[in-house]
Amino acid sequence: MASKNSLIVTFIIFIGMFASCDNSLDAFDERGLYSVHGYLGIFKESNYIRIKELRSPLVPDSTRAIDATVTLQNLRTGESEILQDSVVQFDDIYTHNFRTTLDIVLETTYRLMVERSDGHTLKATATMPPFIAQTKIMPTGGNCLTYIKVTFIPVKDRKLIRSFVGFSYKKRMYWVSWPEARDADTKFTYLYFRPQTVLERTPFSIACGDLDTDSLYIKYYHYGPDYFDDTVDDTLRVPGGAGEFGGLYQKIVSFHIDTSHIFD
C-alpha cells in the first residue's frame, strides 16, 4: 500500500484548533496548536512522542520551552502517566520528546492528551494489535534461487503488516522493503520472494556467497487495527490533518539459506 511505503518508524500529526464552544480540540485538525510525532510500541521499555507547538517559529528561542502537559492513559485499566519532557537539540532547534514508561500491552486502547496552560486540550487514541503474529517460513535451507514463502499467522488484513527482507553484507545490515500479499485459501498475509531477487534490489550487485552469514532476516511491523483508519492513498493525510498516532510492535526472525551456490 502506497501510504505504508511512505512511513518507517516516523509519523507527523498536525492537530487541533480552538473550538468555539469548549476547550476540546480535534486531534487531527491541520490548523491545530500542536503536532504529534510518534507511536506506541509494544514490548519497548520506553516510548517517545515528539510534541511541537505549530504556531511557534522554528528558531532557538521559540522552541526552547513548550507550553504542554502530556498525559497517556490506558483506557482499559484507567492507569495514566504524565510524560516527562526530554529536550534534544538539532541545529540549534530544540525538540521536545515526551517519554512514557507506561506498559503498552496487546488489544488495549491508549489515549494521549496534550493540554495547554489555558486549558485547551488535544486528544488522540491508539489501539494496540490484538495478538502477536507468528511466522511460518517455507522452505528453509534453500538456496539463492529458491522461492521462499513467509506467512504471518493469523493476520488476514495485509495493510496491517509492513515487511522487510534483511541480510548482512560487509558487517552491515541491509533491509529491502517487500510487498505483502493475501493467500487465497487461508486468507493470511504472506511474502513471496527469491533471495537473489532481493539482493538485486540493492544499489550494489552481490550474490548469496558474498553475504556475511548464511541467514536471511524478516523484519515486520504489525500495526493496530485503527492505525490506518481514514488514510488516503499516497499520502499520510487524514481528514482535517496529516499523519498517524498509533500502536504497533516490531519483530525480527531469521532463517537459514545455502549460500555455497546459487543453483537449484
Side-chain angles (χ1 to χ4, degrees):
M1 181 174 179
S3 61
K4 289 201 296 178
N5 290 336
S6 58
L7 283 176
I8 198 132
V9 177
T10 59
F11 317 91
I12 299 176
I13 305 173
F14 291 100
I15 324 165
M17 76 170 289
F18 288 111
S20 60
C21 57
D22 60 33
N23 284 339
S24 180
L25 302 182
D26 182 349
F28 297 115
D29 190 326
E30 63 184 345
R31 298 165 294 175
L33 305 176
Y34 299 101
S35 68
V36 174
H37 180 155
Y39 66 92
L40 301 177
I42 296 175
F43 306 135
K44 295 180 66 176
E45 291 185 4
S46 300
N47 282 283
Y48 290 87
I49 302 171
R50 182 173 298 176
I51 308 292
K52 179 187 177 298
E53 295 179 278
L54 288 177
R55 300 181 184 182
S56 296
L58 284 176
V59 295
D61 286 344
S62 68
T63 59
R64 194 181 306 272
I66 186 171
D67 182 6
T69 299
V70 183
T71 304
L72 185 68
Q73 182 180 26
N74 180 323
L75 295 184
R76 174 181 290 180
T77 66
E79 181 184 7
S80 64
E81 179 186 34
I82 298 177
L83 278 56
Q84 299 299 309
D85 186 8
S86 57
V87 181
V88 179
Q89 188 176 9
F90 293 104
D91 297 328
D92 296 327
I93 302 300
Y94 297 90
T95 63
H96 298 270
N97 305 281
F98 287 81
R99 176 176 178 263
T100 177
T101 58
L102 201 67
D103 287 340
I104 307 300
V105 296
L106 293 168
E107 204 172 7
T108 301
T109 300
Y110 295 82
R111 180 170 60 199
L112 178 74
M113 184 172 75
V114 185
E115 183 175 8
R116 205 169 62 175
S117 60
D118 61 6
H120 285 84
T121 61
L122 170 157
K123 295 179 182 179
T125 60
T127 302
M128 301 305 113
F131 52 80
I132 300 298
Q134 303 300 313
T135 53
K136 180 181 179 181
I137 303 174
M138 294 293 293
T140 58
N143 60 49
C144 233
L145 298 181
T146 303
Y147 280 95
I148 307 294
K149 184 176 183 179
V150 181
T151 305
F152 302 99
I153 302 172
V155 181
K156 294 187 177 182
D157 188 347
R158 62 189 180 93
K159 76 177 183 180
L160 297 181
I161 290 284
R162 186 186 183 199
S163 309
F164 300 82
V165 182
F167 56 90
S168 178
Y169 175 61
K170 292 186 176 180
K171 300 182 179 180
R172 178 180 173 184
M173 281 298 301
Y174 292 89
W175 297 100
V176 178
S177 178
W178 207 261
E180 301 82 16
R182 190 182 190 206
D183 191 288
D185 296 322
T186 67
K187 310 303 181 185
F188 295 152
T189 298
Y190 71 95
L191 301 182
Y192 192 63
F193 62 91
R194 292 193 312 173
Q196 184 59 42
T197 305
V198 172
L199 299 181
E200 291 169 357
R201 295 283 181 91
T202 61
F204 34 80
S205 178
I206 59 175
C208 275
D210 300 321
L211 301 181
D212 295 336
T213 70
D214 60 358
S215 293
L216 288 184
Y217 302 84
I218 303 296
K219 177 169 65 175
Y220 63 96
Y221 298 88
H222 184 190
Y223 298 92
D226 58 2
Y227 203 102
F228 294 103
D229 283 359
D230 300 321
T231 56
V232 179
D233 286 349
D234 301 320
T235 76
L236 297 180
R237 295 191 62 78
V238 295
E244 290 90 14
F245 166 71
L248 57 83
Y249 72 85
Q250 174 189 333
K251 192 172 182 179
I252 298 176
V253 296
S254 63
F255 61 96
H256 170 78
I257 59 170
D258 180 4
T259 61
S260 62
H261 61 281
I262 64 169
F263 301 105
D264 289 324

